[in-house]
Amino acid sequence: MPHRLGLTGDVMLGRLVDEYQQRRPASAVWGDLEDRLRDLDGLFVNLECCLSARGRQWRRTERAFHFRAEPEWAVPALETVGVDACALANNHVFDYEEEALLDTLTHLGTAGIAHAGAGESREAAFEPALVTVGDLDVAFVSLTDNSPEYAAGDDSPGTAYVEIDVDDAETRAAVEDTLARARAHDPDLVIVSLHWGPNMVEEPPEAHQRFARWLVSEGVDVVHGHSAHVFQGVEVYEGRPILYDTGDFIDDYAVDPRLWNDRSFLFELSVSEDGGPVELRLLPTEIDDFAVHRASDGAAQWSRARIQDRSDPFGTTFEREGDALVYRFDR
């Protein structure tokens, strides 16, 4: 039987999400998708905040936003739906400085939720997370080109920061090293989660396309992109899925009436026992009341049309099945 892995865009549990969650059950943040998420064999998210009640807002450089969630509800919420691994290489995990970042690592570790992309040192930040999904061994790598001031140092905490440039020698060395560390565990599947590029960009730039294809050529099985707050197209390169941007899954952000950044998908990837992709299913989602839900009919129709349009340049064609779009891989 194939294993069903869920991949989402940004899960931002701070600010108004955090405020609303103080007076409702932890699981409420998952809306009517709670059972669907729990039924997945594996779930991988970008955690776009720190989990801590401590720390102070980052003021060393100019930052407009700071995201922090109370761990007393946020950790149980992640546990409720069985989140297996969190990508932490992003531009908000360090928003409340070292104390809150280290709390985040501790809370996730205590809950048994794997994480990658941030750590107490550069070596730790670049360490792949290892997750067992059924009888499938998954190596999960998290990288970002956002907020270089958050980058981990040799002896200081921070994120796994790289330039998204395949011609940059330092980038290639860092990525090749972390992929070698992943392969040392002989995983069935390697996922690289990338928080890359600026906000509200509808198409991946050429540099991202080259980088993603290079990752596949280096043995990466799934490229999981996020950061733009809007979903971008899907490419299948050498038989492997590249999700250039998975958009936003949960947040409290203002909604752009043209880009509809409150709309995205739950990306469900079915893989065989040897880690080969079988099917990619896109279930339309929509943020409402600071929680994620199945998209309304109108929103779902818009999202299906938009992602097909954005995937057309890559030659990716989806089939419609109920509310979802499906791509089946050649086996």
Side-chain angles (χ1 to χ4, degrees), residues 227-240:
S227 180
H229 299 310
V230 293
F231 58 80
Q232 297 174 352
V234 174
E235 179 177 12
V236 177
Y237 181 72
E238 296 184 358
R240 296 295 186 262

Side-chain angles (χ1 to χ4, degrees), residues 101-102 105 117-127 151-160 181:
L101 171 60
L102 297 178
L105 303 177
E120 296 185 17
S121 66
R122 177 179 170 83
E123 182 176 0
F126 279 87
E127 184 67 24
D154 291 340
D155 299 304
S156 60
T159 61
R181 284 196 258 174

Side-chain angles (χ1 to χ4, degrees), residues 9-316:
D10 294 357
V11 172
M12 199 292 286
L13 304 178
R15 290 197 317 190
L16 291 176
V17 180
D18 186 57
E19 180 180 320
Y20 269 64
Q21 284 296 120
Q22 303 299 325
R23 53 182 183 267
R24 62 187 186 184
S27 61
V29 75
W30 308 114
D32 60 5
L33 285 177
E34 180 182 350
D35 290 343
R36 180 83 177 226
L37 294 168
R38 190 186 295 116
D39 287 343
L40 293 165
D41 298 310
L43 181 55
F44 302 83
V45 308
N46 174 54
L47 183 63
E48 187 80 343
C49 62
C50 56
L51 305 177
S52 180
R54 305 192 302 160
R56 61 181 183 181
Q57 289 187 355
W58 177 281
R59 297 297 186 193
R60 304 178 210 175
T61 54
E62 182 68 27
R63 296 190 65 82
F65 306 112
H66 301 83
F67 300 153
R68 176 176 62 176
E70 170 56 57
E72 286 190 6
W73 75 263
V75 175
L78 297 173
E79 292 177 304
T80 294
V81 292
V83 171
D84 288 275
C86 294
L88 299 181
N90 56 54
N91 56 317
H92 288 292
V93 73
F94 214 1
D95 278 356
Y96 284 78
E97 299 203 1
E98 287 90 344
E99 196 171 37
L101 171 60
L102 297 178
D103 280 353
T104 304
L105 303 177
T106 298
H107 289 305
L108 292 174
T110 300
I113 300 172
H115 52 82
E120 296 185 17
S121 66
R122 177 179 170 83
E123 182 176 0
F126 279 87
E127 184 67 24
L130 303 175
V131 176
T132 300
V133 177
D135 57 1
L136 194 71
D137 292 327
V138 180
F140 184 72
V141 172
S142 173
L143 307 169
T144 186
D145 71 341
N146 285 197
S147 298
E149 64 270 30
Y150 282 7
D154 291 340
D155 299 304
S156 60
T159 61
Y161 174 85
V162 295
E163 295 284 348
I164 302 299
D165 182 357
V166 297
D167 297 321
D168 183 86
E170 186 173 344
T171 291
R172 291 179 70 97
V175 176
E176 288 168 355
D177 176 70
T178 196
L179 292 180
R181 284 196 258 174
R183 285 192 294 268
H185 297 277
D186 193 26
D188 301 298
L189 191 77
V190 178
I191 301 174
V192 173
S193 193
L194 296 161
H195 201 69
W196 55 357
N199 298 344
M200 302 304 189
V201 175
E202 299 176 73
E203 299 176 356
E206 180 62 29
H208 288 197
Q209 296 177 42
R210 291 184 64 214
F211 195 83
R213 293 164 189 158
W214 173 68
L215 288 175
V216 172
S217 71
E218 290 291 310
V220 172
D221 298 292
V222 183
V223 177
H224 170 220
H226 34 84
S227 180
H229 299 310
V230 293
F231 58 80
Q232 297 174 352
V234 174
E235 179 177 12
V236 177
Y237 181 72
E238 296 184 358
R240 296 295 186 262
I242 299 173
L243 314 178
Y244 279 108
D245 203 293
T246 47
D248 289 347
F249 202 60
I250 301 169
D251 59 44
D252 67 349
Y253 306 153
V255 177
D256 185 298
R258 183 181 71 85
L259 298 178
W260 294 108
N261 48 295
D262 58 338
R263 300 174 181 178
S264 188
F265 299 89
L266 170 60
F267 294 79
E268 295 183 359
L269 179 66
S270 295
V271 298
S272 62
E273 293 183 358
D274 63 1
V278 176
E279 176 186 279
L280 178 64
R281 183 173 295 267
L282 278 56
L283 181 71
T285 61
E286 188 173 16
I287 300 167
D288 182 54
D289 196 28
F290 310 109
V292 63
H293 300 272
R294 285 176 178 265
S296 63
D297 290 344
Q301 182 177 358
W302 182 91
S303 294
R304 286 190 297 264
R306 182 60 63 97
I307 201 163
Q308 182 59 76
D309 180 67
R310 293 175 179 175
S311 300
D312 280 342
F314 304 113
T316 307

